[in-house]
Amino acid sequence: MGRLIAISNRTAADASARAGGLAVAVWESLTSTGGIWFGWSGNIVSGEPGEPDVFTDENVEFVTTDFTEAEHDGFYLQYANRVIWPVFHYRVDLAHFGHADFATYAAVNERIAGLVSPRLEKGDSVWVHDYHFLLMGDYLRRGGWDGPIGFFLHIPFPSPEVFHALPEHETIARAMCEYSVLGFQSQTDRSNFVRYLVENYEAVDEGDGWISVFGRKIRANAYPIGIDANGFAKAAVSERATTAAARIGRFLGGRNLVLGVDRMDYSKGLPQRFEAVGKLFDHFPATRGKVSVTQIAPPSRSKVEEYRDLRTQLDELAGRINGDYGDLDWIPLRYLARSYDRKELAGLYRIARACLVTPLRDGMNLVAKEFVMAQDPEDPGVLILSEFAGAAEQLSDALIVNPHDAYKVAQTIYRALEMPREERKARWEKLRDIVVDQDISWWRLKFLEDLSADLT
Ligand code: GDG
């Protein structure tokens, strides 16, 4: 394979940003072939953005650009995060549609494509990431590039009926078909996309991922993203992890820990989860005083109205549950709106008896996989996983729940707490095998293999 050219909203230009899964995967891909990584510098400027910042680390060149205030608002805050994000997570009710924002979204895609095009050389492969750059492939083609361009969507692709709500659905779908390889997190996402093309544009699903549409052939497949499985297992027994586990252990005082870890986002189903915790204490009195639920929820995009509303809702729900059930020496539901170090999180996962991963919609959900890898093989905890997380397709040995059914979720938490060790081990071993086999390296190699097949 020749050079790889990656494009994502945020890059891992800062070496400390290479700790997370995706950044590591893209960085490893780039260093193995040499290449360039394009993205936003993270800076917002009041005038016009100047020349991009260009610098090299090992054999990787970074090209990052500032955003103007108008770009940051229209492209990032509005169209990407208040239109595409809610619609793709089936929350059309939360979308703020606006033609001007779409124009800014398209203009940023075009401007960044304009930085990429002149730097492309024959033999390169381009890999574009996520919902910020749905139109990038189209602009690169217009710039004259006819080599391979892959695209990976980290969030769900909605059902065609929901996708139709997006006023620009046709423009976006046509642009997506300019990519050579389209990667989705799950088979559900892939089949939603293909069904949209079949129903609207007489596309033909040719098998083995190939689709004929708009007079050409593209490839669309599911490539479920993984984690650095072995690395995470090691993090869970690190000193920092053990110290964090001991700290929460003092708070637990021998009670069972039920843990949740999610960015504070409405897609993660936190109010529904809190309702379920309320029902657990309502209907399963044996759990009162014996179980502590801790939810870690670092705030994200907190300046946006929908997120402020979510925060208020969670404060009220947690307050009510603790008011009803708390006692002098017991807090039933603790919710911590802050972030923790990765190793500390690994330590918390390890001592949790159950982990609640109950998004209403999620592309994949990496927390589910991290929880699995952090377990003690001799005494593993139980994963409770939403059927609407992409991860549910792979992790079918978790306890799968419908996050809207609060009573059933409560019952499932109870079942997890009562589950005999033998069953916990049997389920966990199957989950671990999948998370280890289909880790982050497996994911990137699988995607890049299909992308390089396009060269032949
Ligand atoms: C998008 C898609 C898809 C959470 N709290 C803390 C913290 N985290 C880390 C977790 C995990 C990551 O953040 C969250 O990943 P998810 O996969 O759960 O969700 P999104 O952020 O929504 O990611 C998602 C993913 O892209 C990858 O393709 O799976 O579906 O929505 O790694 O551990 N990390 C630290 N402190 C915290 O307090 N350090």
Side-chain angles (χ1 to χ4, degrees), residues 221-234:
N221 270 319
Y223 308 87
I225 196 167
I227 62 167
D228 170 13
N230 294 324
F232 208 86
K234 279 199 201 103

Side-chain angles (χ1 to χ4, degrees), residues 80-347:
N81 285 320
R82 289 183 99 190
V83 179
I84 302 177
W85 179 273
V87 172
F88 281 36
H89 286 89
Y90 293 74
R91 292 300 304 272
V92 177
D93 59 313
L94 294 181
H96 290 69
F97 299 109
H99 294 297
D101 294 329
F102 180 67
T104 309
Y105 176 84
V108 170
N109 274 251
E110 186 175 13
R111 183 164 80 75
I112 295 183
L115 300 177
V116 178
S117 292
R119 290 174 167 87
L120 291 176
E121 294 168 7
K122 199 168 165 43
D124 288 347
S125 297
V126 183
W127 194 6
V128 180
H129 285 270
D130 226 1
Y131 63 101
H132 311 91
F133 294 129
L134 292 165
L135 310 178
M136 183 62 68
D138 187 26
Y139 286 116
L140 292 175
R141 296 288 182 222
R142 292 191 210 184
W145 176 248
D146 62 0
I149 316 178
F151 175 80
F152 186 78
L153 184 66
H154 290 258
I155 65 174
F157 190 88
S159 70
E161 295 74 14
V162 171
F163 186 56
H164 260 272
L166 206 59
E168 300 81 12
H169 65 86
E170 180 171 349
T171 309
I172 289 176
R174 283 182 181 272
M176 287 175 77
C177 293
E178 294 292 339
Y179 289 108
S180 331
V181 177
L182 282 154
F184 297 93
Q185 296 274 28
S186 68
Q187 289 298 341
T188 305
D189 300 328
R190 186 221 177 238
S191 62
N192 282 338
F193 178 70
V194 175
R195 186 157 71 85
Y196 170 84
L197 295 179
V198 169
E199 288 172 2
N200 294 280
Y201 308 105
E202 296 171 348
V204 179
D205 192 346
E206 310 271 12
D208 199 26
W210 290 100
I211 302 163
S212 299
V213 64
F214 304 130
R216 59 182 166 273
K217 272 190 161 189
I218 58 173
R219 212 156 187 211
N221 270 319
Y223 308 87
I225 196 167
I227 62 167
D228 170 13
N230 294 324
F232 208 86
K234 279 199 201 103
V237 290
S238 65
E239 200 181 319
R240 192 137 192 200
T242 315
T243 308
R247 274 183 72 196
I248 201 168
R250 284 198 292 279
F251 158 78
L252 290 169
R255 297 181 183 95
N256 281 318
L257 172 65
V258 174
L259 182 69
V261 176
D262 305 77
R263 272 190 310 106
M264 198 183 288
D265 187 278
Y266 49 77
S267 64
K268 303 293 183 185
L270 296 173
Q272 291 76 2
R273 190 179 304 173
F274 284 14
E275 296 275 1
V277 169
K279 293 232 179 311
L280 174 74
F281 297 125
D282 288 344
H283 296 280
F284 301 90
T287 58
R288 294 181 202 155
K290 300 280 188 294
V291 178
S292 277
V293 180
T294 294
Q295 175 66 51
I296 293 170
S300 70
R301 306 172 197 159
S302 50
K303 290 193 191 72
V304 178
E305 184 187 317
E306 294 81 58
Y307 291 87
R308 281 201 302 265
D309 292 350
L310 175 63
R311 177 79 202 252
T312 310
Q313 211 180 347
L314 295 179
D315 289 346
E316 279 172 11
L317 281 164
R320 195 161 76 222
I321 293 168
N322 289 330
D324 284 350
Y325 289 108
D327 210 336
L328 297 176
D329 57 353
W330 176 52
I331 303 172
L333 171 62
R334 271 206 324 172
Y335 121 73
L336 306 168
R338 51 159 290 183
S339 68
Y340 286 85
D341 173 84
R342 202 168 168 71
K343 286 188 175 155
E344 290 180 320
L345 279 187

